[in-house]
PDB file of all heavy atoms in Angstrom:
ATOM      1  N   PRO I1416     104.224  88.806 109.196  1.00 98.00           N
ATOM      2  CA  PRO I1416     105.162  89.601 110.002  1.00 98.00           C
ATOM      3  C   PRO I1416     104.789  89.552 111.486  1.00 98.00           C
ATOM      4  O   PRO I1416     103.606  89.612 111.834  1.00 98.00           O
ATOM      5  CB  PRO I1416     104.988  91.021 109.448  1.00 98.00           C
ATOM      6  CG  PRO I1416     104.349  90.862 108.120  1.00 98.00           C
ATOM      7  CD  PRO I1416     103.515  89.628 108.197  1.00 98.00           C
ATOM      8  N   VAL I1417     105.791  89.446 112.347  1.00 98.00           N
ATOM      9  CA  VAL I1417     105.583  89.484 113.795  1.00 98.00           C
ATOM     10  C   VAL I1417     106.493  90.570 114.362  1.00 98.00           C
ATOM     11  O   VAL I1417     107.701  90.566 114.125  1.00 98.00           O
ATOM     12  CB  VAL I1417     105.902  88.129 114.466  1.00 98.00           C
ATOM     13  CG1 VAL I1417     105.628  88.206 115.966  1.00 98.00           C
ATOM     14  CG2 VAL I1417     105.080  87.000 113.841  1.00 98.00           C
ATOM     15  N   LEU I1418     105.912  91.485 115.106  1.00 98.00           N
ATOM     16  CA  LEU I1418     106.667  92.608 115.664  1.00 98.00           C
ATOM     17  C   LEU I1418     106.679  92.549 117.176  1.00 98.00           C
ATOM     18  O   LEU I1418     105.692  92.142 117.804  1.00 98.00           O
ATOM     19  CB  LEU I1418     106.060  93.946 115.226  1.00 98.00           C
ATOM     20  CG  LEU I1418     106.229  94.333 113.755  1.00 98.00           C
ATOM     21  CD1 LEU I1418     105.172  93.670 112.888  1.00 98.00           C
ATOM     22  CD2 LEU I1418     106.158  95.833 113.580  1.00 98.00           C
ATOM     23  N   GLY I1419     107.798  92.986 117.770  1.00 98.00           N
ATOM     24  CA  GLY I1419     107.891  93.153 119.208  1.00 98.00           C
ATOM     25  C   GLY I1419     107.813  94.629 119.542  1.00 98.00           C
ATOM     26  O   GLY I1419     108.326  95.472 118.799  1.00 98.00           O
ATOM     27  N   ILE I1420     107.196  94.974 120.670  1.00 98.00           N
ATOM     28  CA  ILE I1420     106.966  96.397 120.946  1.00 98.00           C
ATOM     29  C   ILE I1420     108.235  97.127 121.379  1.00 98.00           C
ATOM     30  O   ILE I1420     108.309  98.346 121.236  1.00 98.00           O
ATOM     31  CB  ILE I1420     105.822  96.615 121.945  1.00 98.00           C
ATOM     32  CG1 ILE I1420     106.142  96.033 123.331  1.00 98.00           C
ATOM     33  CG2 ILE I1420     104.520  96.040 121.396  1.00 98.00           C
ATOM     34  CD1 ILE I1420     105.111  96.416 124.390  1.00 98.00           C
ATOM     35  N   CYS I1421     109.237  96.414 121.904  1.00 98.00           N
ATOM     36  CA  CYS I1421     110.498  97.080 122.216  1.00 98.00           C
ATOM     37  C   CYS I1421     111.202  97.495 120.929  1.00 98.00           C
ATOM     38  O   CYS I1421     111.588  98.661 120.771  1.00 98.00           O
ATOM     39  CB  CYS I1421     111.397  96.175 123.051  1.00 98.00           C
ATOM     40  SG  CYS I1421     113.017  96.900 123.425  1.00 98.00           S
ATOM     41  N   GLU I1422     111.360  96.571 120.006  1.00 98.00           N
ATOM     42  CA  GLU I1422     112.027  96.892 118.742  1.00 98.00           C
ATOM     43  C   GLU I1422     111.281  97.994 118.001  1.00 98.00           C
ATOM     44  O   GLU I1422     111.885  98.920 117.450  1.00 98.00           O
ATOM     45  CB  GLU I1422     112.131  95.643 117.870  1.00 98.00           C
ATOM     46  CG  GLU I1422     112.920  95.854 116.596  1.00 98.00           C
ATOM     47  CD  GLU I1422     113.138  94.578 115.811  1.00 98.00           C
ATOM     48  OE1 GLU I1422     112.363  93.609 115.997  1.00 98.00           O
ATOM     49  OE2 GLU I1422     114.091  94.549 115.015  1.00 98.00           O
ATOM     50  N   ALA I1423     109.945  97.911 118.013  1.00 98.00           N
ATOM     51  CA  ALA I1423     109.141  98.927 117.331  1.00 98.00           C
ATOM     52  C   ALA I1423     109.327 100.301 117.966  1.00 98.00           C
ATOM     53  O   ALA I1423     109.476 101.318 117.275  1.00 98.00           O
ATOM     54  CB  ALA I1423     107.671  98.528 117.350  1.00 98.00           C
ATOM     55  N   ALA I1424     109.316 100.346 119.294  1.00 98.00           N
ATOM     56  CA  ALA I1424     109.455 101.624 119.991  1.00 98.00           C
ATOM     57  C   ALA I1424     110.830 102.243 119.775  1.00 98.00           C
ATOM     58  O   ALA I1424     110.949 103.449 119.534  1.00 98.00           O
ATOM     59  CB  ALA I1424     109.194 101.428 121.484  1.00 98.00           C
ATOM     60  N   LEU I1425     111.876 101.432 119.849  1.00 98.00           N
ATOM     61  CA  LEU I1425     113.227 101.962 119.673  1.00 98.00           C
ATOM     62  C   LEU I1425     113.437 102.478 118.255  1.00 98.00           C
ATOM     63  O   LEU I1425     114.029 103.551 118.053  1.00 98.00           O
ATOM     64  CB  LEU I1425     114.262 100.896 120.004  1.00 98.00           C
ATOM     65  CG  LEU I1425     114.346 100.452 121.460  1.00 98.00           C
ATOM     66  CD1 LEU I1425     115.452  99.425 121.631  1.00 98.00           C
ATOM     67  CD2 LEU I1425     114.564 101.628 122.391  1.00 98.00           C
ATOM     68  N   SER I1426     112.953 101.746 117.275  1.00 98.00           N
ATOM     69  CA  SER I1426     113.151 102.186 115.895  1.00 98.00           C
ATOM     70  C   SER I1426     112.372 103.465 115.621  1.00 98.00           C
ATOM     71  O   SER I1426     112.864 104.367 114.932  1.00 98.00           O
ATOM     72  CB  SER I1426     112.753 101.085 114.907  1.00 98.00           C
ATOM     73  OG  SER I1426     111.409 100.697 115.078  1.00 98.00           O
ATOM     74  N   ALA I1427     111.172 103.595 116.186  1.00 98.00           N
ATOM     75  CA  ALA I1427     110.391 104.817 115.998  1.00 98.00           C
ATOM     76  C   ALA I1427     111.059 106.000 116.685  1.00 98.00           C
ATOM     77  O   ALA I1427     111.148 107.102 116.117  1.00 98.00           O
ATOM     78  CB  ALA I1427     108.974 104.619 116.537  1.00 98.00           C
ATOM     79  N   THR I1428     111.543 105.797 117.898  1.00 98.00           N
ATOM     80  CA  THR I1428     112.153 106.895 118.650  1.00 98.00           C
ATOM     81  C   THR I1428     113.439 107.365 117.989  1.00 98.00           C
ATOM     82  O   THR I1428     113.780 108.559 118.044  1.00 98.00           O
ATOM     83  CB  THR I1428     112.421 106.464 120.099  1.00 98.00           C
ATOM     84  OG1 THR I1428     111.240 105.887 120.651  1.00 98.00           O
ATOM     85  CG2 THR I1428     112.822 107.643 120.967  1.00 98.00           C
ATOM     86  N   ALA I1429     114.150 106.455 117.349  1.00 98.00           N
ATOM     87  CA  ALA I1429     115.407 106.824 116.696  1.00 98.00           C
ATOM     88  C   ALA I1429     115.198 107.825 115.570  1.00 98.00           C
ATOM     89  O   ALA I1429     116.121 108.548 115.200  1.00 98.00           O
ATOM     90  CB  ALA I1429     116.100 105.571 116.156  1.00 98.00           C
ATOM     91  N   PHE I1430     113.981 107.905 115.035  1.00 97.00           N
ATOM     92  CA  PHE I1430     113.689 108.888 113.994  1.00 97.00           C
ATOM     93  C   PHE I1430     113.572 110.302 114.548  1.00 97.00           C
ATOM     94  O   PHE I1430     113.716 111.282 113.803  1.00 97.00           O
ATOM     95  CB  PHE I1430     112.376 108.553 113.275  1.00 97.00           C
ATOM     96  CG  PHE I1430     112.467 107.393 112.332  1.00 97.00           C
ATOM     97  CD1 PHE I1430     111.693 106.263 112.527  1.00 97.00           C
ATOM     98  CD2 PHE I1430     113.308 107.427 111.233  1.00 97.00           C
ATOM     99  CE1 PHE I1430     111.761 105.184 111.656  1.00 97.00           C
ATOM    100  CE2 PHE I1430     113.387 106.364 110.345  1.00 97.00           C
ATOM    101  CZ  PHE I1430     112.606 105.228 110.568  1.00 97.00           C
ATOM    102  N   ILE I1431     113.301 110.429 115.844  1.00 98.00           N
ATOM    103  CA  ILE I1431     112.939 111.748 116.373  1.00 98.00           C
ATOM    104  C   ILE I1431     113.850 112.250 117.490  1.00 98.00           C
ATOM    105  O   ILE I1431     113.697 113.384 117.938  1.00 98.00           O
ATOM    106  CB  ILE I1431     111.486 111.746 116.883  1.00 98.00           C
ATOM    107  CG1 ILE I1431     111.288 110.696 117.991  1.00 98.00           C
ATOM    108  CG2 ILE I1431     110.506 111.496 115.735  1.00 98.00           C
ATOM    109  CD1 ILE I1431     109.945 110.758 118.684  1.00 98.00           C
ATOM    110  N   ALA I1432     114.798 111.422 117.950  1.00 98.00           N
ATOM    111  CA  ALA I1432     115.671 111.843 119.044  1.00 98.00           C
ATOM    112  C   ALA I1432     117.022 111.162 118.937  1.00 98.00           C
ATOM    113  O   ALA I1432     117.103 110.001 118.530  1.00 98.00           O
ATOM    114  CB  ALA I1432     115.028 111.516 120.396  1.00 98.00           C
ATOM    115  N   GLN I1433     118.059 111.885 119.311  1.00 97.00           N
ATOM    116  CA  GLN I1433     119.400 111.307 119.330  1.00 97.00           C
ATOM    117  C   GLN I1433     119.661 110.522 120.611  1.00 97.00           C
ATOM    118  O   GLN I1433     120.318 109.490 120.584  1.00 97.00           O
ATOM    119  CB  GLN I1433     120.442 112.417 119.188  1.00 97.00           C
ATOM    120  CG  GLN I1433     120.719 112.830 117.754  1.00 97.00           C
ATOM    121  CD  GLN I1433     121.399 111.728 116.958  1.00 97.00           C
ATOM    122  OE1 GLN I1433     122.189 110.956 117.489  1.00 97.00           O
ATOM    123  NE2 GLN I1433     121.091 111.656 115.677  1.00 97.00           N
ATOM    124  N   ARG I1434     119.164 111.041 121.738  1.00 98.00           N
ATOM    125  CA  ARG I1434     119.348 110.361 123.018  1.00 98.00           C
ATOM    126  C   ARG I1434     117.995 110.175 123.683  1.00 98.00           C
ATOM    127  O   ARG I1434     117.191 111.116 123.742  1.00 98.00           O
ATOM    128  CB  ARG I1434     120.276 111.167 123.946  1.00 98.00           C
ATOM    129  CG  ARG I1434     121.708 111.280 123.450  1.00 98.00           C
ATOM    130  CD  ARG I1434     122.642 111.759 124.557  1.00 98.00           C
ATOM    131  NE  ARG I1434     122.642 110.837 125.684  1.00 98.00           N
ATOM    132  CZ  ARG I1434     123.340 109.684 125.719  1.00 98.00           C
ATOM    133  NH1 ARG I1434     124.078 109.321 124.694  1.00 98.00           N
ATOM    134  NH2 ARG I1434     123.303 108.923 126.793  1.00 98.00           N
ATOM    135  N   PHE I1435     117.764 108.977 124.178  1.00 98.00           N
ATOM    136  CA  PHE I1435     116.479 108.707 124.803  1.00 98.00           C
ATOM    137  C   PHE I1435     116.643 107.640 125.871  1.00 98.00           C
ATOM    138  O   PHE I1435     117.680 106.958 125.946  1.00 98.00           O
ATOM    139  CB  PHE I1435     115.426 108.304 123.767  1.00 98.00           C
ATOM    140  CG  PHE I1435     115.879 107.308 122.739  1.00 98.00           C
ATOM    141  CD1 PHE I1435     115.650 105.951 122.903  1.00 98.00           C
ATOM    142  CD2 PHE I1435     116.535 107.726 121.590  1.00 98.00           C
ATOM    143  CE1 PHE I1435     116.052 105.030 121.956  1.00 98.00           C
ATOM    144  CE2 PHE I1435     116.945 106.814 120.618  1.00 98.00           C
ATOM    145  CZ  PHE I1435     116.708 105.456 120.813  1.00 98.00           C
ATOM    146  N   THR I1436     115.627 107.509 126.707  1.00 98.00           N
ATOM    147  CA  THR I1436     115.677 106.581 127.833  1.00 98.00           C
ATOM    148  C   THR I1436     114.424 105.715 127.851  1.00 98.00           C
ATOM    149  O   THR I1436     113.308 106.226 127.684  1.00 98.00           O
ATOM    150  CB  THR I1436     115.777 107.338 129.171  1.00 98.00           C
ATOM    151  OG1 THR I1436     117.006 108.067 129.213  1.00 98.00           O
ATOM    152  CG2 THR I1436     115.746 106.377 130.361  1.00 98.00           C
ATOM    153  N   ILE I1437     114.623 104.419 128.051  1.00 98.00           N
ATOM    154  CA  ILE I1437     113.516 103.516 128.368  1.00 98.00           C
ATOM    155  C   ILE I1437     113.305 103.568 129.875  1.00 98.00           C
ATOM    156  O   ILE I1437     114.250 103.395 130.648  1.00 98.00           O
ATOM    157  CB  ILE I1437     113.835 102.067 127.963  1.00 98.00           C
ATOM    158  CG1 ILE I1437     114.020 101.939 126.452  1.00 98.00           C
ATOM    159  CG2 ILE I1437     112.741 101.121 128.445  1.00 98.00           C
ATOM    160  CD1 ILE I1437     114.585 100.595 126.026  1.00 98.00           C
ATOM    161  N   VAL I1438     112.075 103.794 130.294  1.00 97.00           N
ATOM    162  CA  VAL I1438     111.734 103.676 131.713  1.00 97.00           C
ATOM    163  C   VAL I1438     110.837 102.463 131.868  1.00 97.00           C
ATOM    164  O   VAL I1438     109.712 102.438 131.364  1.00 97.00           O
ATOM    165  CB  VAL I1438     111.043 104.939 132.248  1.00 97.00           C
ATOM    166  CG1 VAL I1438     110.706 104.762 133.732  1.00 97.00           C
ATOM    167  CG2 VAL I1438     111.946 106.160 132.068  1.00 97.00           C
ATOM    168  N   THR I1439     111.355 101.440 132.541  1.00 95.00           N
ATOM    169  CA  THR I1439     110.630 100.196 132.699  1.00 95.00           C
ATOM    170  C   THR I1439     110.176 100.017 134.147  1.00 95.00           C
ATOM    171  O   THR I1439     110.214 100.960 134.942  1.00 95.00           O
ATOM    172  CB  THR I1439     111.485  99.003 132.209  1.00 95.00           C
ATOM    173  OG1 THR I1439     110.666  97.829 132.139  1.00 95.00           O
ATOM    174  CG2 THR I1439     112.685  98.749 133.118  1.00 95.00           C
ATOM    175  N   THR I1440     109.738  98.818 134.480  1.00 93.00           N
ATOM    176  CA  THR I1440     109.109  98.560 135.776  1.00 93.00           C
ATOM    177  C   THR I1440     110.139  98.153 136.831  1.00 93.00           C
ATOM    178  O   THR I1440     110.589  98.960 137.629  1.00 93.00           O
ATOM    179  CB  THR I1440     108.033  97.484 135.619  1.00 93.00           C
ATOM    180  OG1 THR I1440     108.606  96.346 134.918  1.00 93.00           O
ATOM    181  CG2 THR I1440     106.848  98.014 134.826  1.00 93.00           C
ATOM    182  N   MET I1441     110.553  96.892 136.823  1.00 90.00           N
ATOM    183  CA  MET I1441     111.395  96.347 137.879  1.00 90.00           C
ATOM    184  C   MET I1441     112.873  96.331 137.476  1.00 90.00           C
ATOM    185  O   MET I1441     113.218  96.235 136.302  1.00 90.00           O
ATOM    186  CB  MET I1441     110.965  94.915 138.215  1.00 90.00           C
ATOM    187  CG  MET I1441     109.512  94.796 138.638  1.00 90.00           C
ATOM    188  SD  MET I1441     109.224  95.476 140.272  1.00 90.00           S
ATOM    189  CE  MET I1441     109.984  94.210 141.295  1.00 90.00           C
ATOM    190  N   GLU I1442     113.732  96.380 138.472  1.00 91.00           N
ATOM    191  CA  GLU I1442     115.174  96.304 138.228  1.00 91.00           C
ATOM    192  C   GLU I1442     115.542  95.008 137.511  1.00 91.00           C
ATOM    193  O   GLU I1442     116.437  94.992 136.662  1.00 91.00           O
ATOM    194  CB  GLU I1442     115.931  96.412 139.555  1.00 91.00           C
ATOM    195  CG  GLU I1442     117.432  96.284 139.442  1.00 91.00           C
ATOM    196  CD  GLU I1442     118.088  97.409 138.649  1.00 91.00           C
ATOM    197  OE1 GLU I1442     117.466  98.483 138.500  1.00 91.00           O
ATOM    198  OE2 GLU I1442     119.211  97.201 138.168  1.00 91.00           O
ATOM    199  N   ARG I1443     114.862  93.923 137.813  1.00 90.00           N
ATOM    200  CA  ARG I1443     115.177  92.652 137.156  1.00 90.00           C
ATOM    201  C   ARG I1443     114.876  92.683 135.661  1.00 90.00           C
ATOM    202  O   ARG I1443     115.358  91.832 134.910  1.00 90.00           O
ATOM    203  CB  ARG I1443     114.394  91.514 137.814  1.00 90.00           C
ATOM    204  CG  ARG I1443     112.902  91.525 137.550  1.00 90.00           C
ATOM    205  CD  ARG I1443     112.216  90.365 138.241  1.00 90.00           C
ATOM    206  NE  ARG I1443     112.412  90.417 139.680  1.00 90.00           N
ATOM    207  CZ  ARG I1443     112.199  89.379 140.493  1.00 90.00           C
ATOM    208  NH1 ARG I1443     111.809  88.226 139.989  1.00 90.00           N
ATOM    209  NH2 ARG I1443     112.361  89.499 141.782  1.00 90.00           N
ATOM    210  N   SER I1444     114.085  93.650 135.222  1.00 90.00           N
ATOM    211  CA  SER I1444     113.799  93.799 133.794  1.00 90.00           C
ATOM    212  C   SER I1444     114.798  94.702 133.094  1.00 90.00           C
ATOM    213  O   SER I1444     114.873  94.716 131.857  1.00 90.00           O
ATOM    214  CB  SER I1444     112.389  94.375 133.604  1.00 90.00           C
ATOM    215  OG  SER I1444     111.410  93.491 134.109  1.00 90.00           O
ATOM    216  N   ARG I1445     115.569  95.459 133.860  1.00 93.00           N
ATOM    217  CA  ARG I1445     116.458  96.449 133.249  1.00 93.00           C
ATOM    218  C   ARG I1445     117.562  95.789 132.418  1.00 93.00           C
ATOM    219  O   ARG I1445     117.820  96.192 131.273  1.00 93.00           O
ATOM    220  CB  ARG I1445     117.077  97.341 134.325  1.00 93.00           C
ATOM    221  CG  ARG I1445     117.905  98.491 133.758  1.00 93.00           C
ATOM    222  CD  ARG I1445     118.403  99.402 134.865  1.00 93.00           C
ATOM    223  NE  ARG I1445     119.271  98.694 135.793  1.00 93.00           N
ATOM    224  CZ  ARG I1445     120.563  98.452 135.584  1.00 93.00           C
ATOM    225  NH1 ARG I1445     121.134  98.846 134.455  1.00 93.00           N
ATOM    226  NH2 ARG I1445     121.292  97.814 136.476  1.00 93.00           N
ATOM    227  N   LEU I1446     118.243  94.786 132.983  1.00 93.00           N
ATOM    228  CA  LEU I1446     119.345  94.159 132.244  1.00 93.00           C
ATOM    229  C   LEU I1446     118.869  93.439 130.981  1.00 93.00           C
ATOM    230  O   LEU I1446     119.519  93.557 129.926  1.00 93.00           O
ATOM    231  CB  LEU I1446     120.125  93.221 133.159  1.00 93.00           C
ATOM    232  CG  LEU I1446     120.990  93.930 134.213  1.00 93.00           C
ATOM    233  CD1 LEU I1446     121.674  92.912 135.118  1.00 93.00           C
ATOM    234  CD2 LEU I1446     122.020  94.832 133.556  1.00 93.00           C
TER     235      LEU I1446
END
Side-chain angles (χ1 to χ4, degrees):
V1417 182
L1418 289 83
I1420 64 172
C1421 178
E1422 185 174 22
L1425 293 182
S1426 58
T1428 310
F1430 286 119
I1431 59 172
Q1433 276 293 326
R1434 294 195 60 80
F1435 45 95
T1436 296
I1437 297 169
V1438 180
T1439 191
T1440 51
M1441 303 288 287
E1442 177 65 20
R1443 70 180 60 196
S1444 297
R1445 186 176 62 81
L1446 288 177

